[in-house]
Amino acid sequence: IDLDSALAYRHVAMPSGLSKDGASTVYHRFPVQAGEHRLAIRLNDDARTSGFNYQREEMVTLKPGKVLVIDFNQETGGIPLQ
């Protein structure tokens, strides 16, 4: 995750399950000043490919005291912001 063109968070999550082919879950919380920010999210869910196979970049307006959730759903095609 990049926030305002600077790295804000990076994480490698190993797959779950006995066969190591299950979903990974990551929860990370970090405070961000209210206002407009450029948010870029990149994700690769396939170790056999290089680069990122899911990307989303947009301007977001964060209001004081509110929460922005970044999710990933392969079935719906990517990264919704809630």
Side-chain angles (χ1 to χ4, degrees):
I1 299 173
D2 288 350
L3 185 67
D4 298 327
S5 301
L7 181 64
Y9 183 71
R10 179 182 176 137
H11 182 75
V12 175
M14 302 308 294
S16 63
L18 293 174
S19 300
K20 301 297 181 200
D21 61 354
S24 298
T25 301
V26 175
Y27 175 84
H28 185 78
R29 179 181 175 153
F30 52 94
V32 176
Q33 293 291 324
E36 279 199 356
H37 299 278
R38 175 153 301 280
L39 185 62
I41 305 145
R42 291 178 290 280
L43 178 114
N44 181 347
D45 68 342
D46 187 348
R48 297 168 293 194
T49 62
S50 62
F52 300 101
N53 50 359
Y54 294 92
Q55 298 185 56
R56 181 164 183 172
E57 185 170 341
E58 68 180 73
M59 292 297 293
V60 295
T61 301
L62 303 176
K63 296 181 180 180
K66 298 298 179 182
V67 175
L68 173 69
V69 176
I70 301 169
D71 197 4
F72 173 74
N73 188 334
Q74 183 181 22
E75 295 170 0
T76 59
I79 306 166
L81 301 177
Q82 303 171 1

